[in-house]
Amino acid sequence: MRTMTTPPGQASAPARRDAEATKAAILKAARHLLARHAHADITLKAVAERAGVSPPLILKYFGNKDALFARVMSFDTDADALLDAPLDALGRHMVRHVVSSQRERGADPLLRIAFAPLHGDHGDVLRANFRAQVTERLAARLTGPDAGLRAELAVAALVGLGVMYGIARGPHVCDTDADALADRYGPAVQTQLTPGAGRQDPAGADPRR
């Protein structure tokens, strides 16, 4: 009697998907805790309980607490999505991405930086990653003078939006459609990315000024 065998790769695909989902849940839990507690006060047990897994599973996937939070303190993947638009449409895209990330994933791609003072030396790692992976990367795409300053001001506007939405829970911001927020707030961000965009034509200026 022949033994039935499963074709290579067919049985392992669901296991891989489950593993990726578990890793994502662990990272989401760690980000949530990092935004609310000092790094030193966060335990693997707390991360595991929030993610719905066992602490040994975190060790299996990430090695140890420092390795896990090294991933959490990176902005690389978030920046890929945040900056994924042509420069002339980037302001609107970034605003929409910040709002949609909060609504759909419960995570802001930038807001972790606001909690850097909680984390001691680890806060310095968070700041360094933020500069290299977000503001300096954005500045490298800009043309014209003061690219670094303009990039920081554009990102500052996004962080402020994240604070109003995710921390202050401003009811008007939270109740407004993401596209409507992007239409209203995107031009303010775009002004730093492409100076002159959206400026009023001098011919249409108020003659009394």
Side-chain angles (χ1 to χ4, degrees), residues 87 90-91 94 138-139 141-158 185-199:
L87 185 59
L90 189 55
M94 290 196 295
L138 175 58
R141 293 187 57 183
L142 306 185
T143 59
D146 303 318
L149 174 60
R150 286 159 43 213
E152 289 182 358
L153 290 173
V155 172
L158 296 173
Y185 201 64
V189 179
Q190 191 67 40
T191 296
Q192 299 301 329
L193 306 179
T194 50
R199 283 185 183 171

Side-chain angles (χ1 to χ4, degrees), residues 14-201:
R16 283 197 296 270
R17 286 196 296 271
D18 288 346
E20 291 307 310
T22 300
K23 290 178 185 177
I26 293 169
L27 289 169
K28 182 178 180 179
R31 288 190 182 103
H32 176 91
L33 293 171
L34 191 69
R36 291 157 177 81
H37 306 281
H39 175 275
D41 296 334
I42 302 171
T43 64
L44 287 182
K45 180 180 178 183
V47 176
E49 287 177 351
R50 181 160 189 86
V53 302
S54 66
L57 201 56
I58 297 178
L59 298 178
K60 174 185 175 182
Y61 287 135
F62 296 98
N64 55 42
K65 177 181 170 179
D66 286 341
L68 169 62
F69 280 96
R71 286 279 300 274
V72 172
M73 289 183 181
S74 172
F75 294 88
D76 246 347
T77 301
D78 290 324
D80 287 343
L82 181 72
L83 303 178
D84 187 21
L87 185 59
D88 62 359
L90 189 55
R92 186 184 189 284
H93 167 80
M94 290 196 295
V95 169
R96 195 185 191 292
H97 182 66
V98 165
V99 175
S100 297
S101 294
Q102 291 238 27
R103 289 182 177 172
E104 296 166 13
R105 299 189 294 121
D108 189 303
L110 302 176
L111 198 53
R112 278 170 288 152
I113 193 60
F115 300 93
L118 284 176
H119 305 305
D121 291 343
H122 293 279
D124 292 336
V125 174
L126 200 62
R127 292 185 190 94
N129 288 345
F130 189 80
R131 285 194 296 269
Q133 297 165 359
V134 180
T135 56
E136 291 174 9
R137 183 173 166 186
L138 175 58
R141 293 187 57 183
L142 306 185
T143 59
D146 303 318
L149 174 60
R150 286 159 43 213
E152 289 182 358
L153 290 173
V155 172
L158 296 173
V159 173
L161 175 61
V163 169
M164 179 55 69
Y165 189 101
I167 297 176
R169 300 288 185 189
H172 300 289
V173 169
C174 291
D175 290 345
T176 301
D177 178 77
D179 285 318
L181 286 174
D183 290 341
R184 184 179 289 267
Y185 201 64
V189 179
Q190 191 67 40
T191 296
Q192 299 301 329
L193 306 179
T194 50
R199 283 185 183 171
Q200 186 180 32
D201 187 331

